[in-house]
Amino acid sequence: MGSWLTYGLGSEAEDLPGFVVLTSFAGRSPQPISNRMWASGFLPGKFQGIKFNSTGSAVEYLDRPAGVTLRQQREVIDAVRALNGMEAKAVADPEIETRLAQYEMAFRMQTSVPDLLDFRDESQATLDLYGAQPGDGSFASNCILARRMAERGVRFIQLYHRDWDHHNDLKHFVNVCAGACDRASAALVTDLKQRGMLEETLVVWGGEFGRTPMAQEGKGDQVGRDHHMQGFSMWLAGGGIKPGLTYGATDDLGYHAVENIVHVHDLHATILHLLGIDHLRYTYRHQGRDFRLTDVAGRVVHKILD
């Protein structure tokens, strides 16, 4: 299970992808995350996320080869575009459009990404607010990078912090992961608000599910908790969300959600609503039927909206 943050903006960046994924790790073992976590599902491939490395080169194979000029590279891309365009007309495969878009995006990113990753224009006060060291690949640095991408018009940024899977030694490792994430998450909301960006930026924090309220195994400080999906919490900020509100409750044991239950489809319907999309009307035709992003369920939770 990982922590993630999501942002939606009204503008669109020309030289950066519309959906960027960043990963970080602090804890026991770096749990693997599959690329399908940011795949496009039944939508065309051009809508899938692009993973940025937290350290080193942001995107593999993005740098221009030694001895190749910008003009030469542009000529190659134009030639590839022409050939792919001919193939697209012949076979009408939407994945060819994805390939065309990726070549063009990579070319534009070569000049924009280095500036994006350069934190030298960030004040020491900002770095201290997040608890970040530039280039360390931490969740805190990724939060700053997410804000920088949001400033440049990237529409969707998703941060994964790995190793929340605490089936044992819960007391120690929750402190490790919370220490890596809580301060930076709060700093991000504060920073967005200070810069006048929070009203148009939706921040979502959560995991894939919750944890049982009872211990799973071990003794004393070594106990853990198992996976649990009957009652858990997420938080949202900015982007039209009503501040200072707690919505819903569990039973006395924290086992089942019993009051104002929000299903994952409801969460998605609400996020889409805040992004200006009616989840009941927005469909995409796939395998012979019109698919909604919330499939056949979901309701907008209007009580949490500002």
mmCIF file of all heavy atoms in Angstrom, residues 264-287:
data_model
loop_
_atom_site.group_PDB
_atom_site.id
_atom_site.type_symbol
_atom_site.label_atom_id
_atom_site.label_comp_id
_atom_site.label_asym_id
_atom_site.label_seq_id
_atom_site.Cartn_x
_atom_site.Cartn_y
_atom_site.Cartn_z
ATOM 1 N N VAL A 264 -15.616 3.624 -3.351
ATOM 2 C CA VAL A 264 -14.563 4.108 -4.251
ATOM 3 C C VAL A 264 -15.160 4.725 -5.510
ATOM 4 O O VAL A 264 -14.630 5.699 -6.053
ATOM 5 C CB VAL A 264 -13.573 2.972 -4.597
ATOM 6 C CG1 VAL A 264 -14.261 1.855 -5.373
ATOM 7 C CG2 VAL A 264 -12.368 3.512 -5.362
ATOM 8 N N HIS A 265 -16.300 4.208 -5.984
ATOM 9 C CA HIS A 265 -16.963 4.818 -7.145
ATOM 10 C C HIS A 265 -17.465 6.220 -6.808
ATOM 11 O O HIS A 265 -17.449 7.123 -7.660
ATOM 12 C CB HIS A 265 -18.135 3.952 -7.615
ATOM 13 C CG HIS A 265 -17.726 2.664 -8.266
ATOM 14 N ND1 HIS A 265 -16.821 2.619 -9.302
ATOM 15 C CD2 HIS A 265 -18.114 1.388 -8.057
ATOM 16 C CE1 HIS A 265 -16.656 1.366 -9.692
ATOM 17 N NE2 HIS A 265 -17.428 0.595 -8.946
ATOM 18 N N ASP A 266 -17.929 6.407 -5.571
ATOM 19 C CA ASP A 266 -18.378 7.733 -5.139
ATOM 20 C C ASP A 266 -17.202 8.712 -5.116
ATOM 21 O O ASP A 266 -17.341 9.873 -5.518
ATOM 22 C CB ASP A 266 -19.008 7.659 -3.748
ATOM 23 C CG ASP A 266 -20.178 6.697 -3.678
ATOM 24 O OD1 ASP A 266 -20.821 6.459 -4.718
ATOM 25 O OD2 ASP A 266 -20.448 6.185 -2.578
ATOM 26 N N LEU A 267 -16.065 8.235 -4.621
ATOM 27 C CA LEU A 267 -14.865 9.083 -4.595
ATOM 28 C C LEU A 267 -14.487 9.510 -6.006
ATOM 29 O O LEU A 267 -14.220 10.688 -6.265
ATOM 30 C CB LEU A 267 -13.709 8.325 -3.943
ATOM 31 C CG LEU A 267 -12.349 9.032 -3.965
ATOM 32 C CD1 LEU A 267 -12.372 10.288 -3.106
ATOM 33 C CD2 LEU A 267 -11.243 8.094 -3.500
ATOM 34 N N HIS A 268 -14.479 8.559 -6.933
ATOM 35 C CA HIS A 268 -14.123 8.882 -8.317
ATOM 36 C C HIS A 268 -15.140 9.828 -8.941
ATOM 37 O O HIS A 268 -14.762 10.758 -9.671
ATOM 38 C CB HIS A 268 -14.026 7.597 -9.140
ATOM 39 C CG HIS A 268 -12.847 6.755 -8.773
ATOM 40 N ND1 HIS A 268 -12.713 5.437 -9.160
ATOM 41 C CD2 HIS A 268 -11.741 7.034 -8.058
ATOM 42 C CE1 HIS A 268 -11.575 4.955 -8.696
ATOM 43 N NE2 HIS A 268 -10.970 5.911 -8.021
ATOM 44 N N ALA A 269 -16.416 9.608 -8.681
ATOM 45 C CA ALA A 269 -17.454 10.496 -9.221
ATOM 46 C C ALA A 269 -17.263 11.919 -8.704
ATOM 47 O O ALA A 269 -17.423 12.898 -9.447
ATOM 48 C CB ALA A 269 -18.841 9.977 -8.848
ATOM 49 N N THR A 270 -16.898 12.046 -7.423
ATOM 50 C CA THR A 270 -16.687 13.366 -6.827
ATOM 51 C C THR A 270 -15.458 14.047 -7.393
ATOM 52 O O THR A 270 -15.475 15.257 -7.694
ATOM 53 C CB THR A 270 -16.567 13.228 -5.294
ATOM 54 O OG1 THR A 270 -17.722 12.545 -4.785
ATOM 55 C CG2 THR A 270 -16.451 14.589 -4.633
ATOM 56 N N ILE A 271 -14.372 13.302 -7.556
ATOM 57 C CA ILE A 271 -13.165 13.868 -8.157
ATOM 58 C C ILE A 271 -13.448 14.338 -9.576
ATOM 59 O O ILE A 271 -13.051 15.450 -9.963
ATOM 60 C CB ILE A 271 -12.027 12.831 -8.145
ATOM 61 C CG1 ILE A 271 -11.544 12.577 -6.706
ATOM 62 C CG2 ILE A 271 -10.855 13.284 -9.010
ATOM 63 C CD1 ILE A 271 -10.539 11.453 -6.582
ATOM 64 N N LEU A 272 -14.136 13.529 -10.351
ATOM 65 C CA LEU A 272 -14.469 13.921 -11.722
ATOM 66 C C LEU A 272 -15.340 15.176 -11.728
ATOM 67 O O LEU A 272 -15.146 16.075 -12.559
ATOM 68 C CB LEU A 272 -15.184 12.766 -12.433
ATOM 69 C CG LEU A 272 -14.321 11.552 -12.784
ATOM 70 C CD1 LEU A 272 -15.193 10.383 -13.220
ATOM 71 C CD2 LEU A 272 -13.330 11.901 -13.894
ATOM 72 N N HIS A 273 -16.284 15.251 -10.817
ATOM 73 C CA HIS A 273 -17.144 16.435 -10.715
ATOM 74 C C HIS A 273 -16.312 17.690 -10.459
ATOM 75 O O HIS A 273 -16.526 18.739 -11.086
ATOM 76 C CB HIS A 273 -18.164 16.229 -9.588
ATOM 77 C CG HIS A 273 -18.997 17.425 -9.283
ATOM 78 N ND1 HIS A 273 -20.075 17.805 -10.068
ATOM 79 C CD2 HIS A 273 -18.896 18.349 -8.292
ATOM 80 C CE1 HIS A 273 -20.615 18.910 -9.560
ATOM 81 N NE2 HIS A 273 -19.923 19.262 -8.489
ATOM 82 N N LEU A 274 -15.337 17.584 -9.551
ATOM 83 C CA LEU A 274 -14.478 18.724 -9.238
ATOM 84 C C LEU A 274 -13.597 19.116 -10.418
ATOM 85 O O LEU A 274 -13.171 20.270 -10.533
ATOM 86 C CB LEU A 274 -13.612 18.411 -8.026
ATOM 87 C CG LEU A 274 -14.372 18.294 -6.698
ATOM 88 C CD1 LEU A 274 -13.476 17.724 -5.609
ATOM 89 C CD2 LEU A 274 -14.922 19.649 -6.279
ATOM 90 N N LEU A 275 -13.325 18.164 -11.298
ATOM 91 C CA LEU A 275 -12.555 18.447 -12.506
ATOM 92 C C LEU A 275 -13.447 18.891 -13.670
ATOM 93 O O LEU A 275 -12.972 19.050 -14.793
ATOM 94 C CB LEU A 275 -11.748 17.210 -12.908
ATOM 95 C CG LEU A 275 -10.694 16.746 -11.902
ATOM 96 C CD1 LEU A 275 -10.007 15.472 -12.400
ATOM 97 C CD2 LEU A 275 -9.652 17.834 -11.663
ATOM 98 N N GLY A 276 -14.738 19.057 -13.396
ATOM 99 C CA GLY A 276 -15.652 19.552 -14.415
ATOM 100 C C GLY A 276 -16.218 18.482 -15.321
ATOM 101 O O GLY A 276 -16.695 18.787 -16.425
ATOM 102 N N ILE A 277 -16.204 17.222 -14.868
ATOM 103 C CA ILE A 277 -16.671 16.104 -15.685
ATOM 104 C C ILE A 277 -17.870 15.446 -15.016
ATOM 105 O O ILE A 277 -17.805 15.064 -13.842
ATOM 106 C CB ILE A 277 -15.558 15.058 -15.898
ATOM 107 C CG1 ILE A 277 -14.381 15.680 -16.636
ATOM 108 C CG2 ILE A 277 -16.073 13.838 -16.660
ATOM 109 C CD1 ILE A 277 -13.165 14.784 -16.737
ATOM 110 N N ASP A 278 -18.964 15.301 -15.751
ATOM 111 C CA ASP A 278 -20.149 14.591 -15.262
ATOM 112 C C ASP A 278 -19.930 13.104 -15.502
ATOM 113 O O ASP A 278 -19.947 12.633 -16.638
ATOM 114 C CB ASP A 278 -21.392 15.084 -16.011
ATOM 115 C CG ASP A 278 -22.682 14.453 -15.490
ATOM 116 O OD1 ASP A 278 -22.602 13.431 -14.769
ATOM 117 O OD2 ASP A 278 -23.768 14.953 -15.819
ATOM 118 N N HIS A 279 -19.737 12.347 -14.437
ATOM 119 C CA HIS A 279 -19.386 10.933 -14.599
ATOM 120 C C HIS A 279 -20.526 10.108 -15.191
ATOM 121 O O HIS A 279 -20.293 9.006 -15.710
ATOM 122 C CB HIS A 279 -18.958 10.333 -13.246
ATOM 123 C CG HIS A 279 -20.115 10.028 -12.324
ATOM 124 N ND1 HIS A 279 -20.530 8.746 -12.062
ATOM 125 C CD2 HIS A 279 -20.926 10.831 -11.600
ATOM 126 C CE1 HIS A 279 -21.544 8.773 -11.227
ATOM 127 N NE2 HIS A 279 -21.803 10.032 -10.931
ATOM 128 N N LEU A 280 -21.753 10.624 -15.152
ATOM 129 C CA LEU A 280 -22.880 9.911 -15.742
ATOM 130 C C LEU A 280 -22.948 10.073 -17.254
ATOM 131 O O LEU A 280 -23.537 9.244 -17.948
ATOM 132 C CB LEU A 280 -24.187 10.397 -15.112
ATOM 133 C CG LEU A 280 -24.345 10.164 -13.616
ATOM 134 C CD1 LEU A 280 -25.634 10.795 -13.116
ATOM 135 C CD2 LEU A 280 -24.326 8.665 -13.305
ATOM 136 N N ARG A 281 -22.353 11.123 -17.759
ATOM 137 C CA ARG A 281 -22.442 11.415 -19.195
ATOM 138 C C ARG A 281 -21.152 11.156 -19.950
ATOM 139 O O ARG A 281 -21.164 10.948 -21.160
ATOM 140 C CB ARG A 281 -22.863 12.874 -19.398
ATOM 141 C CG ARG A 281 -24.210 13.215 -18.791
ATOM 142 C CD ARG A 281 -24.547 14.684 -18.997
ATOM 143 N NE ARG A 281 -24.597 15.038 -20.414
ATOM 144 C CZ ARG A 281 -24.700 16.282 -20.861
ATOM 145 N NH1 ARG A 281 -24.736 17.293 -19.987
ATOM 146 N NH2 ARG A 281 -24.750 16.525 -22.151
ATOM 147 N N TYR A 282 -20.017 11.183 -19.248
ATOM 148 C CA TYR A 282 -18.724 11.019 -19.909
ATOM 149 C C TYR A 282 -18.447 9.533 -20.114
ATOM 150 O O TYR A 282 -18.286 8.786 -19.146
ATOM 151 C CB TYR A 282 -17.627 11.658 -19.072
ATOM 152 C CG TYR A 282 -16.281 11.683 -19.766
ATOM 153 C CD1 TYR A 282 -16.009 12.613 -20.755
ATOM 154 C CD2 TYR A 282 -15.299 10.764 -19.427
ATOM 155 C CE1 TYR A 282 -14.784 12.638 -21.392
ATOM 156 C CE2 TYR A 282 -14.066 10.780 -20.055
ATOM 157 C CZ TYR A 282 -13.823 11.716 -21.040
ATOM 158 O OH TYR A 282 -12.609 11.730 -21.681
ATOM 159 N N THR A 283 -18.426 9.099 -21.360
ATOM 160 C CA THR A 283 -18.220 7.682 -21.664
ATOM 161 C C THR A 283 -17.177 7.522 -22.754
ATOM 162 O O THR A 283 -16.855 8.457 -23.488
ATOM 163 C CB THR A 283 -19.528 7.014 -22.136
ATOM 164 O OG1 THR A 283 -19.971 7.643 -23.356
ATOM 165 C CG2 THR A 283 -20.621 7.111 -21.069
ATOM 166 N N TYR A 284 -16.672 6.301 -22.846
ATOM 167 C CA TYR A 284 -15.732 5.941 -23.911
ATOM 168 C C TYR A 284 -16.130 4.573 -24.428
ATOM 169 O O TYR A 284 -16.299 3.632 -23.655
ATOM 170 C CB TYR A 284 -14.295 5.923 -23.393
ATOM 171 C CG TYR A 284 -13.283 5.659 -24.491
ATOM 172 C CD1 TYR A 284 -12.842 6.688 -25.309
ATOM 173 C CD2 TYR A 284 -12.807 4.374 -24.709
ATOM 174 C CE1 TYR A 284 -11.932 6.451 -26.321
ATOM 175 C CE2 TYR A 284 -11.888 4.120 -25.723
ATOM 176 C CZ TYR A 284 -11.459 5.165 -26.527
ATOM 177 O OH TYR A 284 -10.556 4.927 -27.532
ATOM 178 N N ARG A 285 -16.294 4.468 -25.743
ATOM 179 C CA ARG A 285 -16.752 3.198 -26.317
ATOM 180 C C ARG A 285 -15.604 2.200 -26.375
ATOM 181 O O ARG A 285 -14.544 2.463 -26.927
ATOM 182 C CB ARG A 285 -17.340 3.422 -27.709
ATOM 183 C CG ARG A 285 -18.100 2.200 -28.215
ATOM 184 C CD ARG A 285 -19.166 2.587 -29.236
ATOM 185 N NE ARG A 285 -20.040 1.473 -29.550
ATOM 186 C CZ ARG A 285 -21.123 1.136 -28.836
ATOM 187 N NH1 ARG A 285 -21.438 1.846 -27.776
ATOM 188 N NH2 ARG A 285 -21.865 0.105 -29.186
ATOM 189 N N HIS A 286 -15.828 1.030 -25.773
ATOM 190 C CA HIS A 286 -14.789 0.010 -25.685
ATOM 191 C C HIS A 286 -15.444 -1.368 -25.695
ATOM 192 O O HIS A 286 -16.389 -1.619 -24.947
ATOM 193 C CB HIS A 286 -13.975 0.214 -24.394
ATOM 194 C CG HIS A 286 -12.936 -0.828 -24.149
ATOM 195 N ND1 HIS A 286 -11.816 -0.947 -24.935
ATOM 196 C CD2 HIS A 286 -12.840 -1.811 -23.208
ATOM 197 C CE1 HIS A 286 -11.066 -1.945 -24.481
ATOM 198 N NE2 HIS A 286 -11.671 -2.486 -23.441
ATOM 199 N N GLN A 287 -14.953 -2.238 -26.577
ATOM 200 C CA GLN A 287 -15.456 -3.607 -26.696
ATOM 201 C C GLN A 287 -16.972 -3.662 -26.828
ATOM 202 O O GLN A 287 -17.649 -4.490 -26.208
ATOM 203 C CB GLN A 287 -14.992 -4.443 -25.498
ATOM 204 C CG GLN A 287 -13.478 -4.658 -25.459
ATOM 205 C CD GLN A 287 -13.030 -5.557 -24.338
ATOM 206 O OE1 GLN A 287 -13.776 -5.784 -23.375
ATOM 207 N NE2 GLN A 287 -11.811 -6.081 -24.435
#
